[in-house]
Amino acid sequence: MRKVVLTFGLIAGAVMAAIMFAALPFQDQIGFNRGVIIGYTSMVLAFLMVFFGVKSYRDNVAGGHVTFGRAFKVGLLITLVATACYVLAWQVLYYGFMPDFLDKYTAYALEQARQSGATEAELARQAKEMADFGVMYQNPLVNIAFTAIEPLPVGLVFTLVTAGVFGRKRPPTGDHANEALQDRTTRSA
C-alpha cells in the first residue's frame, strides 16, 4: 500500500506544485479571482490521482477487490501526501518569492469591499482584521495549517466518491474467489 500511496500522492502533489510555480511569473496578470479558479482546477486535476491510486491498489495489491474502508484509507493517505506537497510548495513560494502576498491581497480585498459599497468604518474594521491575520500568518505553523485547509476538502470529496465507487463491489465468489486469494498470496510471497 505504501508504494501506491506515495506514487499517486507525490504525482498529485507535483501537479499542484507545478501549476503553482508555473503561475508565479504571471501572478499580477492572473489576479486573485482567476488565481482561485486556477488553484482549485489544479486541485481537481491532481486529486484524480486518488481515483487512479485506489484503482491501482485494488487491481495490483488487493486482488481485484477493495472494501469501502480500505479504499477510503488509501484515498485519504494519497490526499495527505498530496496536501503535504502543496503545503511545502506554498511555503517555498510564500517565504521565498512572494513575501508581499498578504499586502497585495489586503489591497485587493479592501478595493473589492470599497467597490461593493462598504463604509469607511467597515473598511477600517476589515483592514484591522486583515492586519491582525497577517501577523498571525507569519507564524509558519499557522501558515501551514491555513494552507493545508485549502486542498483537504477537495481531496476528501474525491476520496469519498472513489471509496463509494470501488467499495460497492462484492468480493468474488466460488472458483473466482479461490483464484483471487491465490493471486494475493502469490504476490505477497
Side-chain angles (χ1 to χ4, degrees):
M1 176 167 58
R2 180 179 299 165
K3 182 179 177 187
V4 170
V5 166
L6 287 176
T7 300
F8 288 92
L10 290 173
I11 292 170
V15 167
M16 289 187 288
I19 292 173
M20 254 197 278
F21 280 100
L24 178 64
F26 309 104
Q27 65 182 335
D28 292 331
Q29 293 87 351
I30 293 171
F32 289 103
N33 285 338
R34 287 180 292 221
V36 169
I37 294 168
I38 291 169
Y40 280 101
T41 300
S42 75
M43 290 176 201
V44 168
L45 291 173
F47 285 122
L48 286 172
M49 291 299 110
V50 170
F51 177 85
F52 294 117
V54 172
K55 183 178 184 318
S56 175
Y57 175 81
R58 182 198 67 186
D59 295 346
N60 300 318
V61 177
H65 171 70
V66 66
T67 63
F68 177 88
R70 181 56 65 151
F72 183 82
K73 181 178 178 182
V74 171
L76 181 62
L77 291 172
I78 291 169
T79 295
L80 292 175
V81 170
T83 298
C85 293
Y86 179 86
V87 168
L88 180 63
W90 175 249
Q91 299 310 301
V92 170
L93 280 173
Y94 179 73
Y95 289 109
F97 299 98
M98 300 169 43
D100 61 343
F101 172 79
L102 280 180
D103 295 334
K104 289 180 178 180
Y105 184 75
T106 298
Y108 164 79
L110 291 174
E111 182 57 33
Q112 292 296 108
R114 185 175 288 112
Q115 288 179 4
S116 66
T119 66
E120 288 303 316
E122 291 170 335
L123 290 172
R125 181 185 50 76
Q126 185 174 356
K128 181 178 180 342
E129 287 175 2
M130 295 188 84
D132 292 345
F133 177 78
V135 169
M136 186 174 60
Y137 200 70
Q138 291 306 313
N139 178 336
L141 295 177
V142 172
N143 189 311
I144 287 167
F146 274 102
T147 305
I149 289 172
E150 294 173 22
L152 268 177
V154 179
L156 288 175
V157 168
F158 272 85
T159 297
L160 283 169
V161 170
T162 300
V165 167
F166 289 118
R168 289 186 295 166
K169 298 192 171 65
R170 299 281 178 237
T173 57
D175 292 335
H176 297 294
N178 292 333
E179 291 172 12
L181 181 60
Q182 286 175 340
D183 284 345
R184 276 185 276 183
T185 55
T186 304
R187 283 187 203 141
S188 63

